Structure formats: structure tokens, C-alpha cells
């Protein structure tokens, strides 16, 4: 079975160069993510589907040092001993700052403003053995698994 | 002449009380506040109750007495106490009632707050991916703030150490063991750069205030403390906030809701940030106290390193902050947290704070709350 995304209409898939699926307000041009009916800026219910930029820069980040409670379901938290992972905010120029998991690097390699790009990564395997993937950002040029 | 006075303050200690319902703690805090005011429950013409976990805080009447009083329940996230106080203030200003009780109580499970992301306007995948977490937001916000304004790890540790020292002097605090900056920096990394001992934890407790029309306050006390203003605000377009899968880059330098609430509160109170002599700020974590110092207007961005290193925000300093130990030493029962802050301001401004009394009986005080998904409240008090 081919892996499936964690949610419909979240990122383009299958795609060698995945993009996040957001929206753009037909009234004021503002980008939104995730795709929703109303515009966060002007309130118009005129948001049209739009693919976001695949590349951006690291605006901020932190480490995740404990396994989150439900509704968290990521299998990458199941290691023993627990291994922290990285999360951050990626600025997509002229569009949005997006919260995301960060993969393909260690904490020591992170620098504010470094170029990042959208990738997919394994998330969990469901009860039927279906592999589920999600999106993450990785340093530009990093060899993510 | 201010409109509203605070004439009684009460608390049920914050901490862990297995088997004790939140409503029982609420009743004790209410009785404590009524006794402080020299009044009884039957004297209350209205009441406002705030809680996250208790559906109907007004059920406390079973314990206090079924007087038929108007009792309104409010919930507004971490700003619940601000909204409860605002409602009480409006009730008095409108002339509907002259005297009433504001009560907050909660009893949370241990560990970081969680909920259904969809209840906060976030998609299910945001929670499944582990992004629906307040602690990681605070880590990301202070990490960026440190990068922009040169705040040091040592400053974060000194803030937490100060709040534990203040908690040691507060018999109602949850954590009363002082910790050194080295112990704080060396504790488990929760969300970089924030370590375990830099965070507050959700816990249990209650707090209460008796408020009345300023016109009649001297009937009850020689030393009323006046509520000069209380303002709540939500996030604006572009602000970087808790539980936000994305924010716009089209609105850079958008003020946080605390900035908006503070500006409006100062304007309504007719006082200047420079007039503030004591403050209780939302220290969900040590970084939040640092950021909120600037957001409410008590210092410029980046000045915090110097202010904290010099002891300015310690009880003996020029601008004492979180004199009862703040959220870091007291924990956060959401419905009660902001009323604890106001109680501490009142005690300090009356000169009744005991071992932790700051010098010079401050005349102007500020309390600030902030929480998910981007809501803030600021109250300003004066003698
Ligand atoms: Zn729009």
C-alpha cells in the first residue's frame, strides 16, 4: 500500500516536490493555512485554494522534550529512551509563517534565517497496516530519510 | 474618583489536594475574602465565578448559602479572572448592584494542558502531530525574543530563581523550595531554551475578592484599594500566538494582545507605565515574565537582562514583579490565577504582605494574564 497523508487537502501527494495546500483571499490577497473559508485579515468568505511556497527560512524553533498527551499520535515519540525532536516556525516569503515539525538535522545545526524546504516524513502506521505520512521542514540540501 | 473598590481578598492555598473538590476550595476562598471585608455571604448582592474545570462555579452556593443571589459564571481561558473582574466592575458601574463577590477556582490534572484542537479553531492533524501544545509555543516565542533582543539563559534562570525565593516567603504557594539558577538551568530541557524548573504547572486552588462601589468603600475599610481599569483583548491579524498553525508575514511587528490590553488599561486608568510600582505578570514560564515586562510597557525590549541582574524586579527593587512567587511558585489553577495576582497586589498596597512586603507600600499596581489561543487581560489598581 502506498503511504497516505495524515489529512486530506493538507499537502500535495503523491508529489516528489510536495507543497502545502493553503488558500488565498480573493478580496485582499492574503494567504491562509490551513485552507478555511474565512480570511483572517478581512473576514471575507472568499478564500480560494492555493499552493504555498515549498521553500522558506527558519523564523524560530524549539525542542520537544516530552511526549505530548492525546490527541498526539506520532510514532516517532515511541523510542526508549525518549528522544526529543524539533519543531519550528518557517517563514514562506510573502505568504505565511507556518508551524511545523523539523527533520533532517540536529538542534546544533539550526540557525535563525537558514533556508528550509518542505518534505514528507513517516508519521504512524494505522490498525490496518496503512503507513501514514505527514509534512515537515528540513534544511535546504539536507539528506532527509 | 474611581468607580470600584476592592475591600476583601481571600485564597485557598494553591497546590495538590487529593479528594478535595474545587467547589470546596472555592467556598473556603470566598469565606476568607468575606471575613477580610468583615461581611457575610448574605451581604453579597451579586457574584461572578470563573473556572475551566467546574461547569457551574455558582454551585458553591450549596456551601455558602442559598440566598438567591445573582451569580454569573464566566470562562475566558487564562484571562478568566480578568473577565470575571471586568463583569463585576461593569455591574457596579451600571448601578445594578453595589457590592459583590468575584470567585475563581480550579482543579487540573498534572502535566501540560490538552484539549480537542478543533475547540480552539485548529485542525485535528495539528494535535496529532504534537503541535497543539502551549509549552512549545512559549519555547519558540522566547527563543526568537532572545535572538532579537539578546536575552540570556542566565536571565531566564534568575527570573525563575526569584519567583521560587518569593514563593518560599508565601505560605499559600505550591512550591516553597528555593532553587539556584544553576539548578534551574541544569534541570530537564522541556522546550528549548525552557527547562523544567522554568515552567509553572497546572494545579489546584481558589481565590476570591469582595468588590463594591467606591462611593461606599469607606463603610467597610479604612484602606480600600481601587480597581482603576481592567481590559481584555484577543490577538490581531499577524500576531504570533499560541495554537496558531500559521500567522501572516504581511503584518510584521503586530502587537501581542497583552500590548493592546495594557495600552487600553493605562488609558482608562489615567496612569502611565512609569507610575507602576509593583506588577504581577503571567509567568507561565520564565521567558513569559521577561517578554511580558516589555509587552505591558514596564521596560524596553532587551532591558530585562540589566533589570533582573540588578535585582530591580526582586522584592527590594524599584519594580518588584511576582512578589508572591507568580505562577512559577504558585502553579496555575486557571480560574483562580488572576484573582491570586490581584489579592497579592491588594495585600502589598495595604502593607499587609508580611515577610514578603515590599518597601514603601506601593500606590499603583498592575496585573496581567495571557493564554491560549491569544487572549490577554490587564488590570490596574491604585490606593
Ligand atoms: Zn481577505
Amino acid at each position: 500500500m502506498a503511504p497516505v497523508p495524515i489529512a486530506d487537502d493538507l499537502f500535495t501527494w503523491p508529489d516528489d516536490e510536495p507543497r502545502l495546500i493553503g488558500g488565498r483571499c480573493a478580496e485582499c490577497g492574503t494567504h491562509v493555512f490551513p485552507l478555511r473559508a474565512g480570511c483572517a485579515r478581512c473576514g471575507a468568505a472568499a478564500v480560494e485554494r492555493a499552493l504555498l511556497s515549498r521553500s522558506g527560512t527558519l523564523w524560530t524553533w524549539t525542542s520537544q522534550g516530552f511526549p505530548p498527551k492525546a490527541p498526539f499520535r506520532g510514532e516517532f515519540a515511541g523510542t526508549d529512551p525518549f528522544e526529543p525532536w524539533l519543531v519550528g516556525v518557517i517563514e514562506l516569503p510573502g505568504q505565511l509563517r507556518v508551524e511545523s515539525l523539523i527533520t533532517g538535522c540536529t538542534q546544533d545545526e539550526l540557525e535563525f534565517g537558514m533556508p528550509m524546504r518542505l518534505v514528507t516524513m513517516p508519521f504512524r502506521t494505522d490498525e490496518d497496516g496503512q503507513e501514514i505520512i505527514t509534512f515537515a521542514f528540513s534544511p535546504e540540501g539536507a539528506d532527509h530519510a | 474618583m474611581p468607580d470600584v473598590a476592592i475591600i476583601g481578598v481571600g485564597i485557598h492555598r494553591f497546590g495538590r489536594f487529593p479528594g478535595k473538590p474545587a467547589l470546596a476550595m472555592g467556598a473556603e476562598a470566598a469565606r476568607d475574602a468575606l471575613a477580610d471585608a468583615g461581611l457575610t455571604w448574605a451581604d453579597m448582592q451579586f457574584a461572578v465565578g470563573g473556572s475551566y474545570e467546574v461547569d457551574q462555579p455558582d454551585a458553591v452556593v450549596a456551601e455558602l448559602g442559598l440566598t438567591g443571589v445573582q451569580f454569573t459564571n464566566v470562562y475566558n481561558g487564562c484571562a478568566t479572572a480578568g473577565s470575571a473582574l471586568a463583569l463585576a466592575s461593569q455591574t457596579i458601574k451600571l448601578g445594578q448592584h453595589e457590592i459583590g463577590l468575584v470567585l475563581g477556582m480550579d482543579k487540573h490534572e498534572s502535566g501540560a494542558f490538552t484539549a480537542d484542537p478543533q475547540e480552539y479553531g485548529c485542525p485535528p492533524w495539528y494535535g496529532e502531530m504534537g503541535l497543539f501544545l502551549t509549552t512549545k509555543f512559549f519555547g519558540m516565542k522566547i527563543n526568537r525574543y532572545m535572538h532579537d533582543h539578546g536575552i540570556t539563559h542566565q536571565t531566564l534562570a534568575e527570573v525563575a530563581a526569584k519567583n521560587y525565593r518569593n514563593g518560599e516567603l508565601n505560605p499559600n504557594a505550591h512550591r516553597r523550595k528555593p532553587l539556584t539558577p544553576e539548578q534551574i538551568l541544569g534541570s530537564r530541557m522541556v522546550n528549548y531554551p525552557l527547562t523544567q524548573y522554568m515552567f509553572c504547572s497546572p494545579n489546584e486552588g481558589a481565590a476570591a475578592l469582595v468588590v463594591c462601589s467606591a462611593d461606599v468603600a469607606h463603610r467597610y475599610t479604612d484602606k480600600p484599594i481601587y480597581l482603576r481599569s481592567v481590559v481584555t483583548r484577543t490577538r490581531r491579524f499577524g500576531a504570533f500566538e499560541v495554537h496558531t498553525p500559521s500567522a501572516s508575514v504581511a503584518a510584521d511587528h503586530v502587537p501581542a494582545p497583552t500590548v493592546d490590553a495594557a495600552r487600553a488599561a493605562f488609558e482608562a486608568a489615567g496612569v502611565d507605565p512609569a507610575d507602576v510600582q509593583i506588577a504581577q505578570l503571567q509567568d507561565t514560564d520564565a521567558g513569559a515574565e521577561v517578554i511580558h515586562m516589555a509587552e505591558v510597557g514596564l521596560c524596553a525590549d532587551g532591558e530585562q537582562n540589566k533589570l533582573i541582574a540588578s535585582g530591580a524586579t526582586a522584592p527590594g527593587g524599584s519594580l518588584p514583579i511576582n512578589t508572591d512567587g507568580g505562577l512559577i511558585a504558585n502553579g496555575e489553577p486557571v480560574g483562580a490565577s488572576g484573582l491570586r495576582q490581584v489579592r497579592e497586589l491588594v495585600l502589598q498596597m495595604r502593607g499587609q504582605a508580611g515577610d514578603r512586603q515590599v518597601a514603601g507600600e506601593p500606590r499603583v499596581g498592575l496585573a496581567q494574564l495571557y493564554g491560549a489561543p491569544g487572549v490577554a487581560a490587564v488590570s490596574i489598581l491604585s490606593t
Side-chain angles (χ1 to χ4, degrees), chain A residues 24-32 38-47, chain B residues 237:
Chain A
R24 191 168 177 277
C25 176
E27 295 287 331
C28 76
T30 294
H31 284 84
V32 306
C39 171
R41 183 177 182 193
C42 74
V47 174
Chain B
F237 172 70

Side-chain angles (χ1 to χ4, degrees), chain A residues 10 33 36 40 59-66 69-73 91 95-97 99 107 112 123 134-135, chain B residues 110 112 114 121 125-130 133 135-136 140 143-144 147 190-192 237 244-247 249 252:
Chain A
L10 180 56
F33 174 79
R36 63 175 85 222
W59 190 74
T60 189
W61 62 272
T62 187
S63 56
Q64 181 55 42
F66 62 95
K69 293 180 188 172
F72 174 69
R73 303 184 77 174
E91 178 164 331
Q95 297 183 340
L96 291 165
R97 292 184 186 132
E99 283 192 8
Q107 179 175 321
F112 289 92
F123 178 67
T134 192
F135 72 90
Chain B
S110 58
T114 190
W125 59 259
Y126 186 68
E128 290 175 25
M129 280 170 68
L133 274 178
T135 61
K136 75 107 178 50
M140 295 199 300
N143 200 12
R144 178 74 201 192
H147 172 75
V190 174
N191 293 100
Y192 181 92
F237 172 70
T244 304
S246 76
V249 293
D252 228 334

